[in-house]
Amino acid sequence: AVILFFLLMSVVGLLEGMQIAFFAVAKLKKSERGNAPFAMKTCELLFRGDGHNLPGFMIGRQLCV
């Protein structure tokens, strides 16, 4: 039970960190986001289409927390 507790708390911590990072990146221009491959793929997924992925992530994160 203790291992499961710390595992789930780690997931919550990762989700909180992602929320802060995504809001910080949302304020940057596309040219200022850097060129790391994983970061570029994450930004493409997050800001794809009409921009509904970021609010969708936030709702899903809130339901998990």
Side-chain angles (χ1 to χ4, degrees):
V2 174
I3 294 172
L4 183 62
F5 171 75
F6 283 111
L7 178 71
L8 292 175
M9 288 302 291
S10 297
V11 170
V12 169
L14 288 171
L15 290 172
E16 292 292 329
M18 288 170 64
Q19 173 188 358
I20 294 167
F22 289 162
F23 276 124
V25 169
K27 295 178 183 176
L28 296 176
K29 297 176 188 171
K30 190 172 185 176
S31 62
E32 297 176 338
R33 292 182 187 157
N35 56 3
F38 191 74
M40 289 175 61
K41 289 178 185 177
T42 303
C43 286
E44 287 174 9
L45 178 66
L46 190 63
F47 302 117
R48 182 185 303 165
D50 295 330
H52 296 296
N53 289 343
L54 179 59
F57 169 79
M58 298 308 300
I59 291 170
R61 185 205 64 83
Q62 190 65 32
L63 292 174
C64 288
V65 174

